[in-house]
Amino acid sequence: MNAFRIARNELRRLSTGTLPKLALVALVLVPLLYASFYLYANYDPYGRLDKLPAAVFTSDTGAKDSSGHERNVGREVTDELVKSGTFQWHEVSEQDARDGVRDDKYSFAIGIPSGFSAALLSVGNFQPQQATITLTTNDANNYLSGTIAKQVAEQVRKTIAEKVGSEAADRFLVGFSTIYAKTQEAATGAAQLADGATQLKTGQQKLADGAAKLADGSSTLATGLSTLKSATADLPSQTQKLASGASQVATGDQKVADAASIAATASSDIQGKLDSYRTQLQTDLRDAGVPDAQVQAILAKADQLRSPVDQANGKIQQANGDLAKLADGARQVSDGAAKLAAASPQLASGIAQASDGANQLRDGASQLNDGEKTAVTGTNQLADGAVKLRDGLAAGLQQIPNPDDPTRNATANTIADPVAVNANGEASAGTYGAGLAPFFISLATWIGAFVLFLILRPLSTRALTAGAAPFRVAVGGWLSSALLGIAQVVVLFGAVTWLVGIHIAHPLPAIGFAVLVSLTFTSVVHALNAFFGAVGKFLGLVLLVLQLVSAGGTFPWQTIPDALYPLHVVLPMGYAIDGFRHLFYSGATTTQLLGDVGVLLAYLVGGILVSTLAARKRRVWTVSALKPELSL
């Protein structure tokens, strides 16, 4: 009797009658009922969070920001939460929110206390306070609701922090722009200062040169005036003597002029008398009957005799005029000398004062020259410093940020939220249900294998009685469960993909891998039932529990206690889950997937070997085999 015949006989036994057939169908549908309904119920719970009732309240009274505008951040946050639709938000009072969470009316409540805006905006006024929001949860309602609420509260906190941080950074960058503008004005002024300092430097150098020339000229002037002062020291007495002498000369000249005037008068009188004598002579001659020619000859002779007298009279008259002029000039000289003598003391005093002033001018000009030398040095330093200031402000201006409005807003947002997560998943499950599918399909496959042996006999008593080879008996007893297990996973995959809507990246290899998992699990459960009998069913449940806690179906297996690590490494369900994940999400045939297949094949072969050993033992009948103490 071969193994296929043994399996066919077992299946024929189960298909005889209506109830056995229904039982057989029920066995095939057990994994479907377990996995598909559970996956359907948990397909996308996060997509239905808008059905979860949550309360929000605000007691914030608002505050003024650094620019003086009235803000009520609590009101803004509350409105944004209610409008978001992420949950079934209800805006209520603080007391109603607390009562609602306690009475399971709301899953959780988020509250914004009074003074929230004042604390949040205090940073801009340099009076920092930490703003708080309140989160009220009740794990008696649902533990995961509290976990979700904490994540929501953290997201709200992060959003508020980003918003306020962005506004603060924007004000900070606006301040930079203001600094940039003022520094630009300062740089322009520094450039003008540098130009003016350069011009001042040139002018100061010219002034210094002029001061040096002034010092030299004033020194020469002081020397000359000192010489003039010495030379004019006797000027008043000398001019007085000059005035006295000039007065005497004027008096003498006047006397001479008076005498000359008398002589000129006398000479004029003589000329008059001579003219009279000539006229009388001419008359007497004519009266005497002297011919005119002789008269004229006599008169001409008389005129020749008179000529020296006329010449002498002309000289006298000329000398009289000259002496009169001389007397007038001498008088004028005398008057001028008198005035000079009167003014000489003042002139000498003025020359002395001018000499003293020139000496002071010389000393002042010398000090001015020395000061200008110092001023030139300072002006050079001022010019150099102004150039450095101009260049430094120009260089510093390039280091001051001056972004435009879009750049400033983008920079402020980046400062408020500097790190972004660029999710680059190698594989994505998509939904919560798809993420749990590998675990629940593996679990359903084990349960399906377990329930098969509630009605299947692990070893054929007829084949054992007939003396069939233990290997054939073992394989024959396993084949019937293997065929039913294959039917289970095929039906299960059809429901999971078509009805529930779980997307599988690589469906054909996934179905093949599921068949391998079913064959392995049925082999292991078959071996337990074949070797241990009724106790094997209990051991199957124990193995199920051990695999549930160590397979890493929900949380990563590394998070389980260290004592359970060996169970994860040894038991097969963890490898089944790992293989399903690779095929469901990435569809990649990796070395790790080949390792999972290798472990399952090893369990498959091991289960058949254990079943063969159990068949060999069952060839010898014992009292406990004929009448077991416990029968399930």
Side-chain angles (χ1 to χ4, degrees), residues 118-138:
L120 200 61
L121 300 175
S122 62
V123 178
N125 300 323
F126 296 98
Q127 298 175 347
Q129 302 176 34
Q130 189 175 37
T132 59
I133 58 176
T134 60
L135 173 65
T136 305
T137 61
N138 187 355

Tab-separated table of all heavy atoms in Angstrom, residues 118-138:
chain	number	residue	atom	x	y	z
A	118	ALA	N	0.323	84.317	25.594
A	118	ALA	CA	1.305	85.167	26.284
A	118	ALA	C	2.628	84.439	26.457
A	118	ALA	O	3.706	85.002	26.241
A	118	ALA	CB	0.749	85.601	27.640
A	119	ALA	N	2.545	83.158	26.849
A	119	ALA	CA	3.776	82.384	27.028
A	119	ALA	C	4.449	82.116	25.690
A	119	ALA	O	5.675	82.187	25.564
A	119	ALA	CB	3.465	81.075	27.743
A	120	LEU	N	3.635	81.816	24.669
A	120	LEU	CA	4.189	81.448	23.365
A	120	LEU	C	4.854	82.642	22.693
A	120	LEU	O	5.875	82.496	22.004
A	120	LEU	CB	3.069	80.900	22.477
A	120	LEU	CG	3.483	80.041	21.287
A	120	LEU	CD1	4.217	78.803	21.753
A	120	LEU	CD2	2.264	79.643	20.483
A	121	LEU	N	4.276	83.827	22.887
A	121	LEU	CA	4.809	85.028	22.247
A	121	LEU	C	5.825	85.754	23.107
A	121	LEU	O	6.353	86.787	22.707
A	121	LEU	CB	3.662	85.991	21.909
A	121	LEU	CG	2.588	85.438	20.957
A	121	LEU	CD1	1.459	86.443	20.810
A	121	LEU	CD2	3.184	85.102	19.595
A	122	SER	N	6.123	85.195	24.294
A	122	SER	CA	7.042	85.874	25.201
A	122	SER	C	8.460	85.883	24.672
A	122	SER	O	9.261	86.737	25.029
A	122	SER	CB	7.017	85.206	26.580
A	122	SER	OG	7.447	83.832	26.473
A	123	VAL	N	8.797	84.948	23.801
A	123	VAL	CA	10.161	84.886	23.268
A	123	VAL	C	10.465	86.133	22.466
A	123	VAL	O	11.566	86.696	22.533
A	123	VAL	CB	10.333	83.617	22.402
A	123	VAL	CG1	11.730	83.570	21.807
A	123	VAL	CG2	10.075	82.380	23.241
A	124	GLY	N	9.474	86.585	21.682
A	124	GLY	CA	9.688	87.785	20.873
A	124	GLY	C	9.864	89.036	21.718
A	124	GLY	O	10.417	90.026	21.260
A	125	ASN	N	9.386	89.011	22.981
A	125	ASN	CA	9.542	90.153	23.876
A	125	ASN	C	10.692	89.957	24.846
A	125	ASN	O	10.834	90.708	25.806
A	125	ASN	CB	8.237	90.364	24.666
A	125	ASN	CG	7.055	90.635	23.750
A	125	ASN	OD1	7.207	91.305	22.735
A	125	ASN	ND2	5.891	90.121	24.091
A	126	PHE	N	11.515	88.922	24.633
A	126	PHE	CA	12.664	88.596	25.473
A	126	PHE	C	12.250	88.382	26.927
A	126	PHE	O	12.945	88.799	27.851
A	126	PHE	CB	13.734	89.686	25.366
A	126	PHE	CG	14.311	89.789	23.989
A	126	PHE	CD1	13.851	90.756	23.103
A	126	PHE	CD2	15.274	88.905	23.548
A	126	PHE	CE1	14.374	90.845	21.816
A	126	PHE	CE2	15.804	88.991	22.274
A	126	PHE	CZ	15.349	89.948	21.405
A	127	GLN	N	11.083	87.757	27.112
A	127	GLN	CA	10.624	87.314	28.426
A	127	GLN	C	10.156	85.865	28.289
A	127	GLN	O	8.975	85.563	28.372
A	127	GLN	CB	9.490	88.206	28.934
A	127	GLN	CG	9.887	89.667	29.136
A	127	GLN	CD	8.706	90.531	29.519
A	127	GLN	OE1	7.549	90.128	29.408
A	127	GLN	NE2	8.988	91.742	29.991
A	128	PRO	N	11.098	84.950	28.002
A	128	PRO	CA	10.714	83.589	27.607
A	128	PRO	C	9.983	82.818	28.693
A	128	PRO	O	10.371	82.820	29.856
A	128	PRO	CB	12.058	82.929	27.267
A	128	PRO	CG	13.069	83.715	28.049
A	128	PRO	CD	12.549	85.114	28.080
A	129	GLN	N	8.885	82.200	28.286
A	129	GLN	CA	8.130	81.271	29.111
A	129	GLN	C	7.745	80.088	28.224
A	129	GLN	O	7.555	80.237	27.020
A	129	GLN	CB	6.864	81.920	29.668
A	129	GLN	CG	7.096	83.174	30.503
A	129	GLN	CD	5.783	83.812	30.938
A	129	GLN	OE1	4.796	83.120	31.196
A	129	GLN	NE2	5.762	85.130	30.998
A	130	GLN	N	7.638	78.935	28.811
A	130	GLN	CA	7.272	77.749	28.039
A	130	GLN	C	5.748	77.598	28.032
A	130	GLN	O	5.111	77.499	29.068
A	130	GLN	CB	7.926	76.498	28.625
A	130	GLN	CG	7.753	75.274	27.752
A	130	GLN	CD	8.499	74.076	28.293
A	130	GLN	OE1	8.563	73.892	29.495
A	130	GLN	NE2	9.063	73.267	27.409
A	131	ALA	N	5.194	77.579	26.829
A	131	ALA	CA	3.750	77.375	26.689
A	131	ALA	C	3.443	75.880	26.785
A	131	ALA	O	4.242	75.029	26.391
A	131	ALA	CB	3.277	77.922	25.353
A	132	THR	N	2.291	75.552	27.316
A	132	THR	CA	1.921	74.144	27.496
A	132	THR	C	0.527	73.900	26.923
A	132	THR	O	-0.313	74.806	26.871
A	132	THR	CB	1.924	73.751	28.986
A	132	THR	OG1	0.996	74.593	29.698
A	132	THR	CG2	3.312	73.916	29.585
A	133	ILE	N	0.321	72.670	26.469
A	133	ILE	CA	-1.012	72.196	26.116
A	133	ILE	C	-1.288	70.968	26.971
A	133	ILE	O	-0.366	70.244	27.360
A	133	ILE	CB	-1.122	71.852	24.616
A	133	ILE	CG1	-0.091	70.795	24.226
A	133	ILE	CG2	-0.950	73.087	23.764
A	133	ILE	CD1	-0.213	70.342	22.782
A	134	THR	N	-2.546	70.745	27.295
A	134	THR	CA	-2.917	69.624	28.172
A	134	THR	C	-3.512	68.496	27.333
A	134	THR	O	-4.246	68.737	26.376
A	134	THR	CB	-3.933	70.064	29.231
A	134	THR	OG1	-5.116	70.547	28.577
A	134	THR	CG2	-3.360	71.177	30.094
A	135	LEU	N	-3.153	67.281	27.687
A	135	LEU	CA	-3.665	66.081	27.026
A	135	LEU	C	-4.315	65.207	28.081
A	135	LEU	O	-3.675	64.821	29.062
A	135	LEU	CB	-2.533	65.330	26.322
A	135	LEU	CG	-2.902	63.978	25.736
A	135	LEU	CD1	-3.926	64.140	24.610
A	135	LEU	CD2	-1.670	63.249	25.231
A	136	THR	N	-5.581	64.905	27.894
A	136	THR	CA	-6.327	64.066	28.835
A	136	THR	C	-6.690	62.758	28.143
A	136	THR	O	-7.339	62.767	27.089
A	136	THR	CB	-7.610	64.778	29.305
A	136	THR	OG1	-7.278	66.056	29.843
A	136	THR	CG2	-8.317	63.951	30.362
A	137	THR	N	-6.244	61.633	28.705
A	137	THR	CA	-6.525	60.309	28.143
A	137	THR	C	-7.094	59.413	29.228
A	137	THR	O	-7.048	59.722	30.423
A	137	THR	CB	-5.248	59.679	27.557
A	137	THR	OG1	-4.271	59.527	28.609
A	137	THR	CG2	-4.663	60.549	26.463
A	138	ASN	N	-7.614	58.289	28.781
A	138	ASN	CA	-8.181	57.306	29.712
A	138	ASN	C	-7.965	55.926	29.104
A	138	ASN	O	-8.673	55.527	28.172
A	138	ASN	CB	-9.668	57.580	29.941
A	138	ASN	CG	-10.247	56.684	31.033
A	138	ASN	OD1	-9.570	55.804	31.562
A	138	ASN	ND2	-11.515	56.903	31.371
